[in-house]
Amino acid sequence: MMKFTNSNLLSHPDRLLEKHTQSVIEIALTFFDKDKINDQILRDILTIITFSHDVGKSTEFFQRYIKGDKSLKNKGETKHSLLGGIVGLILADKYLKQRDIDNPFLLSLAFILPKRHHSNLNNFLIEPILEELEIQILKRQINSIDKEKFQIFFDSLKVPNKELLKFSFDELNFEYIKHLLRKIKRFIRKLKNERSLDYYIKTVLLFSLLLDADKSDVGIKTDKSLIFRDTEIEPEIVDKFIESLSKNDSLINQLRKKAYTEVSNREIDINQRIYTLTLPTGLGKTLISFKFALKIAKKVKKEKGQSLKIIYSLPFLSIIEQNFNVFENVLKKNGINPDSSVILKHHHLTGFSYKEKENEFDYDTSRILIEGWNSKIISTTFIQFFYSLISNKNKMLRKFHKFTNSVVILDEVQSIPHKYWLVLKEILIKMAERFNFYVILSTATQPFIFEKKSFTEILNSKPYFEVLNRYEIKIDKTPKTINDLYDSLHIEKDKRYLFIMNTVGSAKEFFSLLKKDYPDDVIFLSTHLIPKERFKRINLLKNNRKKIAVSTQLVEAGVDIDFDVVFRDFAPLDSLNQSAGRCNREGKKEKGHFYVINLKDKNHGRFYHSYIYDPVLINATKEILKKEKYQEKDILKLINQYYKRLGEIKSDKVSQDLLQMFYSLKFDGEREKNKINSINDFVLIEEDYYKEDVFIEIDEDAQKVWQEFAKILHISDIFERKKAFDSIKAEFYQYVVSVPIKENIPTIQSNFYYVPFSNIEDYYDLETGFKVEGDLYFSV
């Protein structure tokens, strides 16, 4: 009788099931060991989960399907995940019994994670249910398996502790399986009473390891050891870069040097995991936090032998490029090639081009490597960071295990909605307790997210705030219309002015008034302009090419621009402080002037701030700002009073409700407005109005991009179509605005709202952007 050298069972069109399964187990366990989880039982359960996840592909139905039998398309018998979950459940039950461990939670992971590995996590309470129809399909699947081929598949696996994985399909007793599922359900029902985040963290950790190993094996077409490579970067590289910067003896530069030196000389206790860095705007927090993160990484490497990633996260796409370029320049200045294995940026518009040394990898490999954060330094958005930490989404949770050995810098952390502070505090503290996970909260307006005992200040910020006095603040709470403001203005020829409005509508209205009297001096900024034009205008402002700017809050934080006089419509105190950071930023003028005004919509009788800000934050700000005049040196005291006041206001209900979802492992559920029904209800950026993406064919370059996009849509293969679009995505979205579509509705072409060049005047103003009817209420 002929002896087969392989099972001939396929997991993918070009991959043997045994090769794929062994590789997934090896990758997941290597990550687990590299992450220093130090939990042998959890490691064994991970082995069971990774073995089980694709066992269901051994059925005759799936094998015919993967080899091209189209008659089986959409048939339930070709599905493989549920059978994998059943095998995982039986193996985990056997393993736990042998060790006399009664742990329904681990049983639930062994069943649910293989079952859900191609989808998002759901409510754990409804997962342990088997319908009669599902049982009948499972029985047909099991009966179809070629037992000889399956044995060859199993014998081919070269994995440690293989005894864990021994089973026979003949031992699958569905009455007993239903008994185990009822046991799991009883346990999950009581879980919320324990009020523990450990269950959530273990769930998403193992799910992340499974997903990353699975996707990495299939997607990376090169040497897979690439995902385990590491680069050691010394903290001193930042010193060399700073020495190369222009040196003048201004007060700002003296303070930058003092703060940097103070942090450089600071000793680090690696048992302290949460840090705050609070400095006035313009004092170099980006480089200081980067240096401190590298110092932590070096100390952990020396004392624990563990390499840490640096994850730099920001709230705004507009400043990702700016900060990424800073890090790249630091590396280049030190002769370090900033290829993708050393540094990468990742957000929803990132193209997929991963380079290592002289190699540029194919699309599939690049996408897997970038989306899996396979780099030493990652520059990313709050969206990517927080939805990889708090989510039910398969694609986002894949990155979760990369947090286990990392230093995370959360820049402009005050941007996180107040209602999430409690849940953020709880999960960050738990991560810091369990893993080599360090956090630096960096901002000029440090919110009171953590109690004093929970964090360490990197430096004493008070002296820096007290010595800086770049501007004076004038508060005028008297209600004014746009016309009132304009009539009261006296624009001086030798000064530069910035007006920051709360809504696009009010900004456009005020811009139109200024445009009449200062046609060549005034420039407009909002997200209703295409990104390409926005970045162009920000650069004009950076280079002092325009005297007057009217903007929404998009210039509020991180945008390095400098004005003599800034007017800001009333807003929460942290936003006012960020806006003030654009006033005499470099301290080159004797004194800047920052005016806080209280603008009212003459058409609707409402204050513009009421359209976009929580009244709790506005009222707290009004309570704090009692006087009509302040100096910059007063800011720290005012901000501390503001956050103390917010702490006194009971506004933790959203966080409390969300924590209940964590405790219950309720990852998804029915969505209801203004109610937390699952972890999936965590929304970092609230949108009050529905917005649509619109492509604006503003010039010849846009026309070429649109023509390329139209061609891509004719590609029949969905994966090839996605691959082709990803290659132009970054450029495509340079011409896209996200706006509310009401009366002024563009045509839909190629499944996208589209404004052709020939119709541009009907929909898009070259100075103020997309024409939205009645758009007074929209921010940014």
Side-chain angles (χ1 to χ4, degrees):
M1 188 175 180
M2 184 181 293
K3 187 174 181 181
F4 294 102
T5 56
N6 64 62
S7 69
N8 204 29
L9 297 172
L10 297 179
S11 63
H12 301 83
D14 59 348
R15 192 83 164 137
L16 281 169
L17 182 59
E18 52 262 41
K19 296 288 187 186
H20 172 64
T21 302
Q22 178 161 323
S23 182
V24 172
I25 294 171
E26 287 175 349
I27 291 171
L29 293 182
T30 303
F31 274 134
F32 189 94
D33 295 339
K34 198 169 182 282
D35 294 344
K36 304 284 187 191
I37 309 300
N38 297 326
D39 185 330
Q40 185 59 47
I41 292 173
L42 208 59
R43 188 182 192 275
D44 290 343
I45 293 296
L46 176 62
T47 304
I48 289 168
I49 288 168
T50 46
F51 166 75
S52 304
H53 84 286
D54 271 358
V55 158
K57 289 183 174 181
S58 60
T59 68
E60 182 191 346
F61 300 105
F62 181 85
Q63 290 302 308
R64 284 168 53 197
Y65 166 75
I66 199 71
K67 291 169 184 174
D69 187 340
K70 294 181 180 176
S71 68
L72 290 168
K73 194 174 182 181
N74 298 324
K75 293 282 181 69
E77 285 83 356
T78 63
K79 308 296 183 195
H80 67 280
S81 297
L82 179 57
L83 181 52
I86 295 294
V87 171
L89 177 66
I90 290 299
L91 286 173
D93 178 58
K94 187 186 296 185
Y95 166 79
L96 293 171
K97 275 183 176 169
Q98 287 171 353
R99 284 152 184 78
D100 198 23
I101 297 171
D102 183 17
N103 193 324
F105 170 63
L106 295 179
L107 285 178
S108 75
L109 296 184
F111 172 66
I112 294 170
L113 300 190
K115 179 186 173 189
R116 303 297 299 186
H117 79 277
H118 283 300
S119 53
N120 301 325
L121 292 175
N122 204 345
N123 181 358
F124 265 39
L125 191 59
I126 66 171
E127 287 286 7
I129 297 172
L130 266 186
E131 303 289 348
E132 197 55 41
L133 178 60
E134 290 176 316
I135 292 173
Q136 295 310 312
I137 290 173
L138 286 165
K139 286 179 176 178
R140 289 198 291 275
Q141 288 179 316
I142 291 165
N143 289 334
S144 77
I145 293 171
D146 184 319
K147 304 301 189 293
E148 185 179 353
K149 286 184 177 180
F150 188 84
Q151 191 61 49
I152 294 169
F153 150 74
F154 189 83
D155 291 343
S156 301
L157 295 178
K158 303 290 188 290
V159 295
N161 210 3
K162 195 171 171 180
E163 289 295 313
L164 284 175
L165 310 176
K166 279 192 174 177
F167 84 104
S168 165
F169 283 108
D170 296 332
E171 66 188 80
L172 297 186
N173 180 317
F174 282 97
E175 285 306 311
Y176 183 65
I177 287 167
K178 286 194 283 185
H179 160 73
L180 290 177
L181 293 178
R182 286 193 296 270
K183 180 178 180 179
I184 291 171
K185 196 175 180 73
R186 286 193 300 271
F187 172 79
I188 299 295
R189 193 175 282 122
K190 297 175 184 176
L191 204 53
K192 61 184 178 184
N193 300 325
E194 293 193 37
R195 299 178 60 81
S196 172
L197 284 172
D198 282 326
Y199 296 108
Y200 171 82
I201 287 175
K202 286 179 180 177
T203 298
V204 294
L205 174 67
L206 294 200
F207 195 51
S208 169
L209 289 163
L210 169 62
L211 297 176
D212 200 18
D214 192 20
K215 293 178 193 297
S216 295
D217 175 65
V218 176
I220 296 175
K221 309 300 183 186
T222 185
D223 179 6
K224 292 178 178 53
S225 68
L226 175 66
I227 60 180
F228 303 115
R229 288 180 201 165
D230 186 49
T231 304
E232 291 305 317
I233 300 178
E234 295 294 323
E236 289 71 29
I237 67 167
V238 190
D239 303 346
K240 187 173 180 180
F241 176 76
I242 284 180
E243 286 168 11
S244 72
L245 299 177
S246 61
K247 299 176 182 67
N248 62 59
D249 204 32
S250 68
L251 176 61
I252 293 292
N253 265 346
Q254 289 176 33
L255 291 172
R256 283 176 186 149
K257 184 177 179 181
K258 181 177 184 295
Y260 183 80
T261 303
E262 189 177 337
V263 170
S264 296
N265 294 334
R266 183 191 173 96
E267 285 297 316
I268 289 173
D269 175 5
I270 63 170
N271 295 312
Q272 176 56 51
R273 304 296 175 89
I274 298 172
Y275 296 88
T276 61
L277 174 62
T278 312
L279 279 173
T281 54
L283 258 61
K285 290 187 294 295
T286 300
L287 287 171
I288 290 173
S289 59
F290 186 42
K291 166 78 180 219
F292 196 72
L294 289 172
K295 278 172 62 86
I296 292 171
K298 183 175 182 178
K299 190 82 181 286
V300 170
K301 181 71 174 179
K302 182 180 178 182
E303 295 191 12
K304 290 190 169 186
Q306 192 67 36
S307 293
L308 304 186
K309 291 183 181 299
I310 311 294
I311 301 171
Y312 198 101
S313 185
L314 303 125
F316 312 113
L317 263 180
S318 57
I319 50 178
I320 281 275
E321 294 293 333
Q322 175 182 298
N323 287 30
F324 181 79
N325 290 338
V326 169
F327 297 146
E328 268 199 328
N329 290 333
V330 171
L331 294 167
K332 288 176 183 175
K333 195 69 184 174
N334 288 269
I336 301 170
N337 179 23
D339 65 27
S340 305
S341 68
V342 177
I343 183 170
L344 64 80
K345 62 173 174 277
H346 181 226
H347 51 75
H348 73 290
L349 299 183
T350 308
F352 294 121
S353 174
Y354 190 97
K355 300 175 183 177
E356 190 210 21
K357 297 178 182 175
E358 302 304 315
N359 301 318
E360 182 170 354
F361 299 116
D362 63 88
Y363 167 83
D364 290 328
T365 300
S366 291
R367 182 174 62 83
I368 292 297
L369 289 168
I370 290 170
E371 289 183 344
W373 286 0
N374 289 287
S375 186
K376 181 70 174 182
I377 304 163
I378 297 101
S379 184
T380 191
T381 58
F382 275 13
I383 292 290
Q384 288 293 330
F385 174 79
F386 284 107
Y387 287 152
S388 298
L389 189 69
I390 301 171
S391 183
N392 74 316
K393 298 290 189 294
N394 180 302
K395 184 176 180 180
M396 302 304 288
L397 288 176
R398 176 191 162 202
K399 301 189 288 290
F400 180 88
H401 78 95
K402 298 297 172 72
F403 295 138
T404 57
N405 289 294
S406 65
V407 187
V408 175
I409 303 166
L410 296 178
D411 201 350
E412 307 294 359
V413 70
Q414 79 287 342
S415 303
I416 299 161
H418 179 237
K419 63 185 177 181
Y420 292 130
W421 286 5
L422 175 63
V423 76
L424 176 63
K425 177 188 78 169
E426 295 293 331
I427 197 162
L428 291 181
I429 287 175
K430 183 58 70 173
M431 293 288 289
E433 286 174 357
R434 281 194 61 87
F435 307 119
N436 283 319
F437 178 81
Y438 296 81
V439 184
I440 301 170
L441 307 180
S442 173
T443 179
T445 54
Q446 194 69 242
F448 294 171
I449 295 176
F450 295 93
E451 294 89 358
K452 285 269 187 188
K453 64 180 180 180
S454 301
F455 69 90
T456 297
E457 291 180 302
I458 292 177
L459 49 69
N460 180 12
S461 59
K462 193 175 179 183
Y464 295 92
F465 280 91
E466 287 177 341
V467 75
L468 271 180
N469 215 15
R470 291 169 289 184
Y471 51 82
E472 65 176 11
I473 305 163
K474 292 185 179 178
I475 314 291
D476 185 358
K477 297 178 187 175
T478 308
K480 284 185 175 65
T481 65
I482 296 289
N483 290 95
D484 292 337
L485 171 63
Y486 188 72
D487 291 341
S488 68
L489 283 180
H490 176 59
I491 302 289
E492 298 180 43
K493 286 186 179 180
D494 61 340
K495 290 184 178 175
R496 300 181 72 233
Y497 291 78
L498 171 63
F499 298 87
I500 304 176
M501 302 298 185
N502 280 331
T503 69
V504 173
S506 60
K508 285 182 179 179
E509 185 181 345
F510 189 64
F511 173 79
S512 68
L513 294 174
L514 282 166
K515 186 70 178 171
K516 291 175 186 174
D517 293 332
Y518 307 94
D520 298 323
D521 294 325
V522 65
I523 198 167
F524 180 83
L525 275 170
S526 91
T527 53
H528 284 203
L529 291 162
I530 60 168
K532 181 181 180 181
E533 183 62 24
R534 278 204 312 271
F535 297 139
K536 178 181 171 184
R537 294 185 188 189
I538 287 171
N539 282 327
L540 284 174
L541 293 175
K542 283 181 178 179
N543 296 320
N544 300 330
R545 299 286 295 276
K546 287 289 181 178
K547 179 181 174 182
I548 306 169
V550 180
S551 178
T552 53
Q553 308 95 292
L554 70 86
V555 298
E556 196 171 85
V559 180
D560 191 8
I561 52 179
D562 196 350
F563 291 85
D564 304 296
V565 182
V566 176
F567 283 80
R568 176 65 165 97
D569 194 2
F570 206 88
L573 191 58
D574 56 332
S575 294
L576 295 180
N577 185 36
Q578 292 294 334
S579 297
R582 313 310 114 197
C583 186
N584 195 18
R585 182 178 177 86
E586 292 297 319
K588 293 177 180 178
K589 306 286 182 179
E590 185 177 335
K591 188 64 69 86
H593 298 278
F594 181 66
Y595 296 94
V596 178
I597 51 180
N598 200 15
L599 293 178
K600 197 168 189 176
D601 177 1
K602 65 184 179 186
N603 297 318
H604 300 84
R606 287 177 62 178
F607 289 105
Y608 289 108
H609 63 66
S610 71
Y611 292 126
I612 61 169
Y613 290 121
D614 186 334
V616 171
L617 305 182
I618 292 293
N619 290 334
T621 303
K622 287 180 178 177
E623 288 177 26
I624 299 304
L625 297 178
K626 293 186 171 75
K627 299 195 301 186
E628 293 182 358
K629 287 186 180 180
Y630 294 94
Q631 303 290 323
E632 182 187 8
K633 62 184 180 181
D634 301 321
I635 282 287
L636 184 61
K637 183 179 178 182
L638 292 172
I639 285 292
N640 287 339
Q641 289 175 356
Y642 172 70
Y643 284 128
K644 184 180 179 183
R645 179 73 188 102
L646 288 187
E648 293 166 355
I649 299 167
K650 297 299 180 187
S651 57
D652 287 341
K653 186 177 187 320
V654 171
S655 276
Q656 294 283 8
D657 290 346
L658 192 54
L659 284 169
Q660 285 300 320
M661 302 303 112
F662 281 104
Y663 302 149
S664 307
L665 297 180
K666 192 177 180 185
F667 285 91
D668 207 355
E670 290 291 322
R671 306 209 80 162
E672 292 182 54
K673 193 174 180 182
N674 301 322
K675 190 174 180 182
I676 298 290
N677 272 333
S678 71
I679 292 168
N680 194 29
D681 287 330
F682 171 69
V683 179
L684 195 62
I685 300 174
E686 298 284 356
E687 291 288 1
D688 294 331
Y689 289 81
Y690 187 65
K691 293 184 180 181
E692 294 282 3
D693 286 346
V694 183
F695 187 94
I696 309 295
E697 197 176 67
I698 198 170
D699 54 24
E700 286 186 8
D701 290 337
Q703 285 179 322
K704 290 175 184 175
V705 172
W706 181 260
Q707 288 166 7
E708 187 66 27
F709 173 67
K711 285 181 192 172
I712 286 169
L713 289 189
H714 287 99
I715 298 173
S716 57
D717 185 284
I718 187 171
F719 298 107
E720 288 301 315
R721 189 162 67 243
K722 184 180 186 307
K723 178 177 175 180
F725 178 67
D726 281 341
S727 70
I728 69 162
K729 183 167 66 172
E731 190 179 3
F732 181 86
Y733 276 96
Q734 286 295 305
Y735 302 98
V736 172
V737 289
S738 184
V739 290
I741 299 294
K742 296 199 281 186
E743 291 86 357
N744 197 25
I745 304 174
T747 57
I748 293 179
Q749 191 169 317
S750 301
N751 298 317
F752 212 94
Y753 283 107
Y754 166 63
V755 175
F757 185 75
S758 57
N759 282 21
I760 201 149
E761 290 184 5
D762 296 333
Y763 296 97
Y764 190 85
D765 185 289
L766 294 178
E767 288 193 311
T768 59
F770 193 81
K771 297 178 180 179
V772 177
E773 301 295 330
D775 61 351
L776 296 174
Y777 316 133
F778 296 97
S779 63
V780 297

